[in-house]
Amino acid sequence: MIKLTDDVLESNKDHPQARWYVIHTYSGHENKVKMNMESLVKNRNMDNLIFDIQVPMEEYVSMRNGKEVVKERKVFPSYVLVKMIMNDESWYLVRNTRGVTGFVGPGSKPVPLSDEEVLSLGVGDKVDYSGLYEVGDVVQVIDGPFKDFMATINEVDEDRGKLTVMISMFGRDTSMELDFRQVKKS
């Protein structure tokens, strides 16, 4: 599960021109770059151009002295994600932040992440799934290997955006976990 930090620059974060970009950093400098960039944005009053800076993290379980310990690690070492409106001023600020080696993209032209990439990375605005699905609802699978199958919801996990459903295959009911985005109400 990807966990993002809560240090989000709030003003104008829903601006229609704002897109997510990937920035390459020196190895191990991701959090320093994030802090430096947030400081520069604040000091130069550029929160109308740069809205969110993220270092995606994930939790994992490690064994230490025979005990399970939950730790965090960077999902994409040497990369930072930035939601911004691209212009000369914002490009210059990001490109000249200490620890940044450049934007991801061909040559000097940064390429924004697609909407699908943003969703898969989990950095987009969180979707409110509360009350969307209930136990007993019948849904149609719209993505994945069971596309076009009908399923009955057994369990709803709104926090994770996951459903436990029963799909009838070969005359038997099979339980599986699906993402909310993989189904639609029938």
Side-chain angles (χ1 to χ4, degrees), residues 88-106:
D88 290 343
E89 191 178 8
S90 61
W91 180 90
Y92 184 84
L93 181 135
V94 171
R95 188 65 186 89
N96 290 291
T97 298
R98 185 177 299 130
V100 171
T101 60
F103 281 93
V104 172

Side-chain angles (χ1 to χ4, degrees), residues 6 14-15 19 40 56 75 87 103 110 118 134 142 171 180-181:
D6 293 330
D14 293 326
H15 194 284
R19 301 291 306 268
L40 287 170
V75 177
N87 66 17
F103 281 93
V118 170
E134 295 179 9
I142 58 172
F180 277 24
R181 295 181 306 231

